[in-house]
Amino acid sequence: MARVYNFSAGPAVLPLEVLERAREELTDWHGCGMSVMELSHRSKEFIGIAERAETTLRELLGVPDHYRVLFLQGGATSQFGAVPFNLAGEDDVADYIVTGSWSKKAVAEAKRFCKARVAADSQETGFTDIPDPAGWDLDSKAVYFHFTPNETIGGVEFHFLPETGDTPLVADMSSTILSRPIDVSRFGLIYAGAQKNIGPAGLTLVIVREDLVGIQREGTPRMLEYAPMAEAGSMLNTPPTFSWYMAGLVFEWLRENGGLAAMGERNRAKSQLLYGAIDGSAFYSNPVRPDCRSWMNVPFVLADPELDGRFLEEAGREGLTNLKGHRSVGGMRASIYNAMPMDGVQALVDFMAGFEARYG
Ligand SMILES: *Cc1c(COP(=O)(O)O)cnc(C)c1O
């Protein structure tokens, strides 16, 4: 079967060139006679793969030297707890901005381990925008400020960086990392599950400023502590070797395709094409305030939800898959990560116009 255009929110589409390269190297990696999956994580071959991945990532994102890069397991969800364990004491205050499902989960988990508080939320608008920073109720004693730059389910994205003075910014960038250039030096800590924009599931990236490493509270589970992981090159135990290798191939693909500046331009253009089609029709709509719309996850509804099933079925027949919206919001969602080509978005927009002409 031919490849489809996969609009899944995650695990998500990977660049075809990366999959093909992995296939070529699958049974005999660079003449070593075995697959990367079969290599010891302590072997010089794998250490080389691991170091190259980190170097390429640092180059792509412009990670300053005083930041550590960790390749962990447990998903972004583990970091919801690891962050307070590492950065806060039980009685410390941490500020959270809640703009959708993921930030809601992050603060709920943090509340179990420190005095996490909601400094602002967009509940009132049904999580369709970002509350005006002028109205944020920040606590000057907060040991960190947490936000979710891109809400994968609601399709709400920060197109600015919060100003929090000396309070370190902590960001769950699972669904937006590598989608455009960012200034890493503005962050205290960035974390991301890999399965959206980095590579296969099983790998979790943490980029953390040096002064925030080693201040974890007493009693932090060792596997969640950043300091020993940083010291051990993320190999306190067996890391997710194959996912790490695949992430490295994705980083190289990004570099070969112009890096994050080029990726940002492509992503802006892809999202503009799709939002333009939605806004230009009376049949489709997106509820998110235009200046907060995600470049990565585009939810939309049909004027008549009775047609949802038919839309999904006909789209599937044209090779446009995984467009069903998250169960909490219904309708449709097109996730258009880095590896989704412009041709895929164009095919979707063309299909949408045809569907509207037939049933609208
Ligand atoms: C997918 C996602 C998560 C959950 O990631 P896991 O790796 O499954 O734990 C958390 N936050 C955001 C923003 C996500 O998109």
Side-chain angles (χ1 to χ4, degrees):
M1 185 181 167
R3 297 264 302 166
V4 296
Y5 287 123
N6 176 11
F7 294 94
S8 169
V13 56
L14 286 166
L16 181 59
E17 294 93 326
V18 166
L19 296 174
E20 285 172 340
R21 179 155 165 209
R23 179 176 61 190
E24 269 164 41
E25 301 180 338
L26 189 68
T27 56
D28 177 12
W29 185 83
H30 293 212
C32 76
M34 61 182 91
S35 150
V36 172
M37 280 179 272
E38 301 163 293
L39 282 173
S40 163
H41 59 295
R42 308 281 181 209
S43 64
K44 70 172 187 329
E45 289 87 353
F46 187 76
I47 301 283
I49 288 170
E51 288 177 351
R52 219 159 25 249
E54 179 174 338
T55 305
T56 315
L57 176 71
R58 282 181 173 274
E59 197 184 303
L60 279 173
L61 271 174
V63 179
D65 288 344
H66 63 293
Y67 282 70
R68 310 302 294 261
V69 177
L70 308 178
F71 291 80
L72 307 176
Q73 305 190 51
T77 306
S78 286
Q79 294 305 315
F80 293 170
V83 165
F85 263 111
N86 280 277
L87 305 189
E90 235 176 300
D91 294 323
D92 282 335
V93 173
D95 280 335
Y96 280 70
I97 298 291
V98 174
T99 49
S101 309
W102 288 115
S103 41
K104 216 167 164 176
K105 285 192 174 155
V107 70
E109 179 73 347
K111 277 181 175 170
R112 303 175 60 218
F113 307 118
C114 71
K115 301 235 169 336
R117 56 191 288 282
V118 177
D121 72 42
S122 50
Q123 186 117 30
E124 230 169 73
T125 66
F127 299 110
T128 57
D129 64 4
I130 293 161
D132 181 357
W136 294 358
D137 171 29
L138 299 177
D139 189 320
S140 59
K141 294 187 303 300
V143 292
Y144 66 86
F145 170 97
H146 181 285
F147 74 122
T148 306
N150 185 64
E151 283 285 356
T152 321
I153 294 173
V156 171
E157 185 159 12
F158 283 71
H159 296 285
F160 64 95
L161 273 188
E163 296 287 346
T164 56
D166 290 336
T167 310
L169 270 186
V170 174
D172 172 3
M173 298 198 74
S174 294
S175 52
T176 182
I177 192 163
L178 302 174
S179 66
R180 65 175 93 181
I182 54 167
D183 181 358
V184 174
S185 72
R186 294 280 312 277
F187 295 83
L189 188 149
I190 291 167
Y191 63 93
Q195 67 275 18
K196 278 71 182 245
N197 230 359
I198 296 173
L203 173 72
T204 311
L205 210 62
V206 171
I207 301 171
V208 54
R209 211 173 60 205
E210 226 158 45
D211 60 294
L212 301 176
V213 177
I215 56 167
Q216 70 281 349
R217 73 177 68 172
E218 219 31 67
T220 300
R222 211 158 150 66
M223 280 298 291
L224 296 184
E225 282 182 331
Y226 300 139
M229 269 299 182
E231 202 150 308
S234 304
M235 296 196 198
L236 206 52
N237 70 332
T238 317
T241 52
F242 195 73
S243 296
W244 192 332
Y245 153 76
M246 288 293 291
L249 296 188
V250 171
F251 300 155
E252 285 172 30
W253 176 83
L254 287 168
R255 188 174 56 192
E256 284 157 19
N257 284 275
L260 301 193
M263 215 38 65
E265 284 316 306
R266 273 181 58 179
N267 288 328
R268 179 204 299 278
K270 278 153 53 186
S271 64
Q272 275 175 355
L273 175 62
L274 185 47
Y275 287 117
I278 292 168
D279 291 343
S281 113
F283 186 70
Y284 303 105
S285 63
N286 167 290
V288 179
R289 203 175 74 199
D291 64 316
C292 310
R293 285 174 166 179
S294 169
W295 288 6
M296 294 284 103
N297 309 96
V298 182
F300 60 93
V301 294
L302 277 51
D304 177 6
E306 295 280 307
L307 289 168
D308 283 1
R310 187 178 295 235
F311 181 94
L312 290 166
E313 192 202 310
E314 293 192 12
R317 265 191 266 135
E318 298 205 15
L320 308 167
T321 68
N322 289 317
L323 284 162
K324 193 173 167 48
H326 191 269
R327 59 189 182 280
S328 64
V329 287
M332 308 298 152
R333 172 177 49 172
S335 295
I336 50 175
Y337 298 118
N338 286 341
M340 173 58 64
M342 182 56 120
D343 285 352
V345 180
Q346 188 63 55
L348 174 60
V349 164
D350 292 345
F351 168 77
M352 288 166 68
F355 189 87
E356 179 178 359
R358 289 192 297 284
Y359 304 107

